[in-house]
Amino acid sequence: MARIPSAVVAASGLVGGYGVARWTRKRQLGGAVLAVAGATAAQQWRRQAGDRAAAALTVGYAAAFAGSHPLAKKVGAWPAVFGVAGAVALASWAVADRRG
């Protein structure tokens, strides 16, 4: 079975979490999607790049989620979510996926 790159997992968690929350109108359900994808990506980051890199990427993932909220007020919700998801994916690829 092909391994899904951690960059895809992390970006999908941000986009999917927002999409689920918006379309179901249940923020907790979107948060669950965000958390499961974040935990899955963190495991991959730890395995691929070590504990320190995994910790830094996890902080970045959480910061991207938090930062998307004020950014959305300036550029709109979907552009903000896609922007932070792209940034997280790029960081994930550069730190962890590129090595594998």
Side-chain angles (χ1 to χ4, degrees):
M1 186 166 152
R3 183 183 66 80
I4 299 171
S6 62
V8 173
V9 173
S12 296
L14 289 161
V15 173
Y18 175 69
V20 167
R22 181 170 179 152
W23 290 318
T24 65
R25 298 179 195 248
K26 301 206 182 296
R27 293 177 71 188
Q28 300 86 350
L29 191 55
V33 171
L34 180 80
V36 168
T40 302
Q43 285 181 326
Q44 286 182 263
W45 293 328
R46 186 173 295 112
R47 193 170 47 248
Q48 292 172 289
D51 290 338
R52 293 177 92 177
L57 288 167
T58 301
V59 167
Y61 183 80
F65 167 70
S68 69
H69 292 82
L71 183 60
K73 292 180 181 179
K74 296 187 184 299
V75 300
W78 280 112
V81 170
F82 284 126
V84 299
V88 167
L90 182 61
S92 180
W93 175 83
V95 173
D97 293 335
R98 180 176 58 156
R99 298 174 185 212

